[in-house]
Amino acid sequence: MRDFFSAYRRELIASGVLVVLLSVYLGTHPRGASTYVLTIWANQCVILGLVAIAQFFAVIVRGIDLSVGAVMALTNTLASHLLDGSAVAIGLGIVAVLVAGVLCGLLNGALVVFGRIQPIVVTLATASIFVGIALILRPTPGGAVNYDLADAITLDLFGVPTALVIVAVLVFAFWLPFRRTGLGLGLYAVGSSAQGAFQSGMPVTTIRLAAFSLAGLFGAIAGLFYTFVTTTGDAGIAPNFTLNSIAAVVLGGVLLRGGTGSLIGALIGAFILKTIAALMFFSGIPSLAQPLFEGMILAVAIAIGGADILRARNRLEAFGR
Amino acid sequence: MMTLTRPLPSWINLEALLPYIGTLLLILGASTAFPQVLSLDYLTQQLQIAAFLGVLATGATIVILLGHIDLSVPWTLNGAAIVATAMAGSGNAALIALAIPAAILFGAAVGAVNGLGVTILRIPSMVWTLAINSILLGLAVLNTGGFNPRGESSALMSWLATGSIAGLPVSFLFWMAVSLALALVMTRSGFGRYLRSIGYNEKAVYLSGVSTRSVVVGAFVIAGVCSALGGVLLAGYANQAYQSMGDPFLLPTIAAVVIGGTSILGGCGGLFGTIGGVLFITILNSVLSVAQISDAWRSIIFGAIILAMLLFQTLRRGGRT
């Protein structure tokens, strides 16, 4: 039991914060914990949660992806063209959107691995390219999406928000099994020490490429989900989501130096951020002061995450971080 | 063997010269289709505009040499512009005279907060400065009520941004003066040497008895002041401060520093290369708009050319990293 606590300390602290924030939110919301309120809340949280997962896969191998928002904008605008018509057409459209995301991620990965450019700079440049393509696809926000499908994905299943069901499936059917596969372990190994992983005979190059491709894939899933929630394509969403995804993974206990953290943590971090924003709306704080409070809560949350340093027994421990 | 010519100073190397060569090629290439690019008017105007990005990139170079990054540039700039224009627009002679010093003080204070979070709490600068940026945004919204802030630039601010001396734009001369001053600090003072060394290996510098904390805080203060000066120039140019005036500058600033040959990991590079990077990015943007290319394609070409420059850099190094 103690092992469990020390292994998942970061996730447990973050989920504790989330539970407190969520109960305050549901307590202050005029309509309480109804399915309606929860569905809207879950949709917003899950959009950012999926982008945060994309960021997580880049960060876990000691990278960073400043193009997650751009991949999301690109796939969102693409989806706004492809998600209407017959069932077959929509199915193919979804596949095409996901493939586009993976290709974006693969391009990032290839430039990092073979071009030997730092991830932060690569993704800065590719983000500009992806946003450009998104702007060609949708110069102004618009588009049509099949409403039945959008409703099915963004409303509720027997009173439980579908978005939360999707997240549960993602965690239990994808992440927990994936974590134990060779690739899943490889991500952590490369993030902790690329040299160590290489000397143990791990295919470091392939693992890095896979990590960035997964980042692209989840960027696309986020773009797809965003399309279902808003039913429009908008090329201008990139910067906001990129910056929030970094804040989300850090809040969820994922270390930017790589090798530490989990997909669940990234999700919780995103949920915390969005719950804070939702909480602001009903908190009675004057609307002009809300952005300031949001920023301050973000800074305090991050500072608490950094308070680990106060437990360091030796100042030299700090430099390894 | 004796050579008659003095060897070139170490800060002039191919890495740093690359953006200058790129800028020349861009101007010559563009002049074949658009002869007006070679006119004196056009080129001096580019120098004037480059100065805004240039002052910001100067500060960013200092922080990136440390191995850190400052993402609070946009709202530090914006905040300084709001402070300066509010004071300059007050009609009180004393306040008008204090407009620029107050903006600089504001920038220094933000830089100090950035630096203290990074050194004492050891929060990754990428996240901490992001949080500070959102706090500054919140403060600006609270202060201005979400509208464009009132006020105007003082005569001095307008002169700095739009005046000219002997045919050269004052803003360009100002940028050169800031760069030269910081270049002297970087090469002639212990602070400059420690700064680079921390970028290579902070632990070693700390163990050599250097107060690494004060060096890092000092660097962030310099960056904050540079951001504030950028805000003063921009406000002088537009004769006002406006919401989100800094947002379009964040990524080009980082791109200019990196194209100038400064490693995003810290340690190597310098201000001479950054000036070239700024000129390259300014001319690239300007040529693309002279050619009347749509925003979408501009964004794509911009990203692709930056990638090409970076790939060329790493290829030239031939695998040394």
Side-chain angles (χ1 to χ4, degrees):
Chain A
M1 198 65 193
R2 264 190 79 181
D3 286 352
F4 178 80
F5 273 115
S6 57
Y8 295 100
R9 188 171 49 88
R10 294 165 171 281
E11 284 83 354
L12 286 171
I13 294 173
S15 35
V17 172
L18 176 61
V19 168
V20 172
L21 284 172
L22 183 60
S23 22
V24 175
Y25 172 58
L26 294 177
T28 52
H29 194 289
R31 293 183 65 171
S34 63
T35 303
Y36 172 76
V37 173
L38 276 174
T39 305
I40 291 177
W41 168 80
N43 281 342
Q44 291 305 316
C45 289
V46 170
I47 296 172
L48 185 60
L50 291 167
V51 198
I53 292 176
Q55 189 65 263
F56 160 76
F57 278 112
V59 168
I60 199 70
V61 293
R62 200 178 277 211
I64 190 135
D65 191 344
L66 297 187
S67 73
V68 283
V71 171
M72 195 181 157
L74 171 59
T75 49
N76 168 235
T77 50
L78 188 63
S80 71
H81 284 284
L82 298 178
L83 296 187
D84 210 6
S86 70
V88 178
I90 292 177
L92 287 176
I94 290 178
V95 173
V97 168
L98 296 181
V99 169
V102 172
L103 287 179
C104 290
L106 204 56
L107 174 68
N108 284 334
L111 284 165
V112 168
V113 171
F114 302 117
R116 293 201 198 141
I117 313 174
Q118 282 302 312
I120 178 172
V121 194
V122 166
T123 52
L124 191 70
T126 54
S128 174
I129 298 179
F130 299 154
V131 168
I133 300 175
L135 273 172
I136 293 177
L137 288 169
R138 276 265 170 245
T140 51
V145 174
N146 184 307
Y147 280 102
D148 293 334
L149 185 59
D151 282 353
I153 288 180
T154 56
L155 294 182
D156 61 285
L157 273 179
F158 311 113
V160 181
T162 318
L164 293 185
V165 177
I166 295 173
V167 164
V169 169
L170 195 68
V171 168
F172 289 103
F174 166 71
W175 172 247
L176 293 180
F178 174 79
R179 171 84 178 76
R180 299 183 177 280
T181 62
L183 178 59
L185 291 171
L187 293 177
Y188 283 89
V190 170
S192 305
S193 164
Q195 195 182 355
F198 179 73
Q199 287 178 339
S200 329
M202 282 191 159
V204 174
T205 307
T206 319
I207 292 173
R208 276 234 176 85
L209 281 175
F212 277 95
S213 306
L214 278 167
L217 175 66
F218 275 94
I221 297 177
L224 208 52
F225 191 75
Y226 184 84
T227 319
F228 287 127
V229 173
T230 61
T231 68
T232 52
D234 183 352
I237 58 176
N240 209 358
F241 278 110
T242 302
L243 296 183
N244 277 330
S245 73
I246 299 174
V249 293
V250 172
L251 278 183
V254 182
L255 292 191
L256 289 184
R257 67 173 155 99
T260 307
S262 75
L263 179 144
I264 302 172
L267 270 173
I268 297 173
F271 274 56
I272 292 178
L273 263 187
K274 277 295 166 187
T275 309
I276 292 173
L279 195 59
M280 284 295 152
F281 207 75
F282 293 102
S283 58
I285 296 171
S287 60
L288 284 176
Q290 285 179 9
L292 177 62
F293 270 81
E294 250 182 87
M296 279 168 47
I297 292 175
L298 178 64
V300 168
I302 289 169
I304 291 172
D308 261 6
I309 191 65
L310 302 178
R311 310 196 316 172
R313 269 155 288 170
N314 181 331
R315 258 198 79 182
L316 285 178
E317 282 177 26
F319 296 107
R321 284 154 60 90
Chain B
M1 203 178 91
M2 285 279 287
T3 45
L4 289 175
T5 50
R6 280 180 62 196
L8 285 170
S10 64
W11 44 269
I12 299 186
N13 51 32
L14 195 68
E15 206 98 299
L17 282 176
L18 190 65
Y20 291 91
I21 299 169
T23 311
L24 273 182
L25 289 178
L26 256 180
I27 294 177
L28 292 178
S31 69
T32 56
F34 310 99
Q36 72 266 36
V37 168
L38 282 179
S39 73
L40 203 60
D41 275 354
Y42 175 83
L43 291 175
T44 46
Q45 197 198 355
Q46 296 319 306
L47 288 183
Q48 182 197 354
I49 294 172
F52 307 138
L53 182 60
V55 172
L56 300 174
T58 308
T61 309
I62 305 285
V63 171
I64 290 177
L65 276 175
L66 266 184
H68 284 289
I69 199 160
D70 183 359
L71 297 183
S72 72
V73 168
W75 284 90
T76 311
L77 178 166
N78 215 331
I82 291 174
V83 168
T85 51
M87 290 179 71
S90 63
N92 179 329
L95 285 181
I96 293 175
L98 284 175
I100 296 180
I104 291 176
L105 203 65
F106 174 82
V110 173
V113 174
N114 281 335
L116 289 175
V118 169
T119 50
I120 293 181
L121 294 171
R122 308 262 342 151
I123 304 166
S125 50
M126 179 176 271
V127 200
W128 181 245
T129 54
L130 194 62
I132 297 300
N133 193 47
S134 54
I135 290 183
L136 292 173
L137 179 152
L139 279 175
V141 170
L142 186 61
N143 176 44
T144 60
F147 299 105
N148 272 347
R150 284 219 285 250
E152 58 182 21
S153 61
S154 66
L156 179 61
M157 285 160 69
S158 303
W159 180 75
L160 276 176
T162 58
S164 71
I165 297 175
L168 280 175
V170 177
S171 63
F172 172 71
L173 297 173
F174 181 70
W175 168 32
M176 288 298 119
V178 171
S179 288
L180 192 68
L182 280 177
L184 284 178
V185 170
M186 294 295 295
T187 47
R188 298 289 159 86
S189 73
F191 173 80
R193 274 187 290 276
Y194 295 149
L195 195 81
R196 264 172 219 280
S197 322
I198 290 176
Y200 278 118
N201 190 337
E202 181 169 9
K203 196 173 183 175
V205 179
Y206 174 70
L207 285 174
S208 322
V210 175
S211 162
T212 53
R213 280 185 179 177
S214 44
V215 176
V216 174
V217 173
F220 272 98
V221 168
I222 291 176
V225 169
C226 286
S227 301
L229 289 175
V232 167
L233 285 181
L234 266 179
Y237 185 70
N239 197 26
Q240 60 173 345
Y242 48 93
Q243 301 286 350
S244 305
M245 64 196 287
D247 289 355
F249 283 92
L250 176 60
L251 298 186
T253 304
I254 300 171
V257 174
V258 174
I259 281 184
T262 300
S263 163
I264 198 88
L265 299 176
C268 64
L271 291 168
F272 178 67
T274 298
I275 296 174
V278 169
L279 291 176
F280 180 80
I281 285 189
T282 309
I283 298 283
L284 177 62
N285 261 330
S286 162
V287 165
L288 289 177
S289 69
V290 167
Q292 296 192 327
I293 289 172
S294 71
D295 276 356
W297 279 105
R298 210 191 291 187
S299 173
I300 294 174
I301 295 171
F302 188 79
I305 288 187
I306 287 177
L307 273 181
M309 296 272 289
L310 294 169
L311 279 175
F312 187 78
Q313 267 181 14
T314 44
L315 284 181
R316 208 189 60 75
R317 273 182 224 148
R320 282 184 292 124
T321 41

